[in-house]
Amino acid sequence: MDSRLLDILVCPLCKGPLIYKKDDKELICKPDRLAFAIKDGIPVMLADEARRISDEVEIK
């Protein structure tokens, strides 16, 4: 992922910052507990496509 792109991307729902998980190829929104996939180097920033992170999982 391009670091300049990471600097400007925010969660489409709350407009908050995202955590880049390189190994999982995801961008994580901690407040909304959503994981946005990165496919072929392009983040999929659609709430309908995001993976919900359960409350039991600790987000680091």
Side-chain angles (χ1 to χ4, degrees):
M1 273 298 313
D2 183 353
S3 63
R4 293 176 294 177
L5 181 59
L6 288 174
D7 289 341
I8 62 172
L9 281 176
V10 295
C11 174
L13 298 177
C14 71
K15 309 301 185 232
L18 298 168
I19 301 167
Y20 177 45
K21 298 290 186 175
K22 185 176 183 178
D23 293 340
D24 297 328
K25 296 182 182 171
E26 291 181 324
L27 294 169
I28 307 293
C29 176
K30 219 172 176 180
D32 291 323
R33 304 195 63 81
L34 293 174
F36 298 94
I38 300 171
K39 297 181 182 177
D40 298 322
I42 300 169
V44 181
M45 303 303 295
L46 301 170
D48 293 343
E49 300 276 329
R51 177 177 64 85
R52 167 102 16 232
I53 301 171
S54 71
D55 293 334
E56 292 81 36
V57 176
E58 181 182 353
I59 300 172
K60 297 178 185 177

